[in-house]
Amino acid sequence: MITTPKTKAPTPGRVLLQNITWETYERLLNEMGHQRNTRINYDQGLLEIMTPLLEHEQPNRLLSRVANAVAEELDIEILSAGSTTLKRPDLEKGSEPDSSFYIKNESLIRGKRTIDLKTDPPPDLVIEVDVTSSSIDREGIYAAMGVPEIWRCDRGEVKFLQLRSGNYVETEHSLAFPVLPVTEVAKFLEQSQTVGETTLLKAFRTWVREQIQAEAQ
């Protein structure tokens, strides 16, 4: 019996398809290629295609720059994996995060052209920005893959989430960068509405240096 895919009513920038096989998902990824402005998430038959909007990309880019800036100031090696497709055929789950980073496991991924989660670790940090409601549980996908940390921005509200016993819990400080509290990141994100990114990132770097100096005393 052939099951006809069902489409749920889309929200702006998103479309959700039901009853999609893993093979169809894989074929769609291959046919659409990497040079596209859409992101595709899959969870056991549900397939979501998202086209990022400006209000989505702006906080994503800023949070990514924050992660890179704090890594540089702390002299920590970091590998930016961007929206690399993360997939586990055995779990029938796949996702393309807004941004992702290898930090603790950077040395294990350095120089690789592709990531195979059967043998490679998942990113140490994933950034997800939501400006519209999603019908796919992306946190559940990342938890199943073992992603240790998510920075989530939901309609302007920033949360740091850490994976503990298979579930994500909110924390006050970043797991990858313990010096970094979520309150400070939230403040900088709010200031981005009225301050240019260059000025904002300079101020952020100054703040990080002050924290490093304070800890060294």
Side-chain angles (χ1 to χ4, degrees):
M1 179 179 179
I2 298 176
T3 304
T4 303
K6 296 180 180 179
T7 306
K8 279 193 173 183
T11 55
R14 298 179 190 270
V15 62
L16 182 71
L17 303 175
Q18 297 177 309
N19 301 325
I20 302 299
T21 64
W22 179 264
E23 291 73 21
T24 300
Y25 163 63
E26 290 265 34
R27 187 164 59 250
L28 185 62
L29 288 175
N30 291 332
E31 291 181 356
M32 294 183 71
H34 299 292
Q35 302 300 319
R36 51 183 164 86
N37 64 345
T38 57
R39 298 197 181 109
I40 303 174
N41 301 303
Y42 182 87
D43 190 7
Q44 297 181 330
L46 290 177
L47 187 143
E48 179 185 60
I49 302 175
M50 185 189 78
T51 303
L53 308 174
L54 176 61
E55 60 179 331
H56 175 279
E57 284 297 275
Q58 201 167 17
N60 172 40
R61 297 299 181 189
L62 185 57
L63 290 173
S64 295
R65 294 186 69 181
V66 163
N68 278 293
V70 71
E72 289 176 11
E73 295 299 331
L74 293 172
D75 198 23
I76 295 174
E77 294 294 348
I78 188 172
L79 189 152
S80 301
S83 297
T84 298
T85 303
L86 308 172
K87 55 185 180 179
R88 284 281 301 273
D90 55 323
L91 301 176
E92 292 194 352
K93 294 180 184 292
S95 185
E96 294 176 338
D98 294 319
S99 294
S100 60
F101 301 89
Y102 282 91
I103 305 165
K104 180 181 178 180
N105 291 312
E106 182 271 342
S107 62
L108 299 178
I109 303 299
R110 187 188 307 169
K112 292 198 172 188
R113 298 179 63 87
T114 60
I115 295 173
D116 184 353
L117 294 184
K118 291 180 182 177
T119 54
D120 297 323
D124 296 294
L125 171 64
V126 156
I127 294 175
E128 284 287 350
V129 178
D130 282 322
V131 294
T132 58
S133 59
S134 174
S135 298
I136 283 188
D137 178 16
R138 294 202 301 279
E139 286 182 18
I141 293 176
Y142 295 130
M145 292 180 178
V147 174
E149 181 175 12
I150 299 174
W151 290 2
R152 180 174 177 178
C153 182
D154 191 348
R155 295 170 179 82
E157 181 183 2
V158 182
K159 296 180 181 179
F160 286 174
L161 305 174
Q162 292 182 20
L163 186 62
R164 296 179 182 173
S165 301
N167 294 293
Y168 287 104
V169 296
E170 285 189 51
T171 58
E172 295 183 359
H173 287 77
S174 169
L175 178 64
F177 311 113
V179 70
L180 188 61
V182 67
T183 51
E184 200 65 28
V185 174
K187 184 181 76 173
F188 278 101
L189 193 63
E190 183 178 356
Q191 290 176 345
S192 70
Q193 301 300 312
T194 55
V195 179
E197 284 190 21
T198 299
T199 300
L200 196 62
L201 266 296
K202 285 182 178 179
F204 176 74
R205 286 180 179 274
T206 299
W207 178 87
V208 175
R209 290 167 191 161
E210 291 173 350
Q211 305 312 303
I212 295 173
Q213 292 174 359
E215 288 195 353
Q217 294 176 354

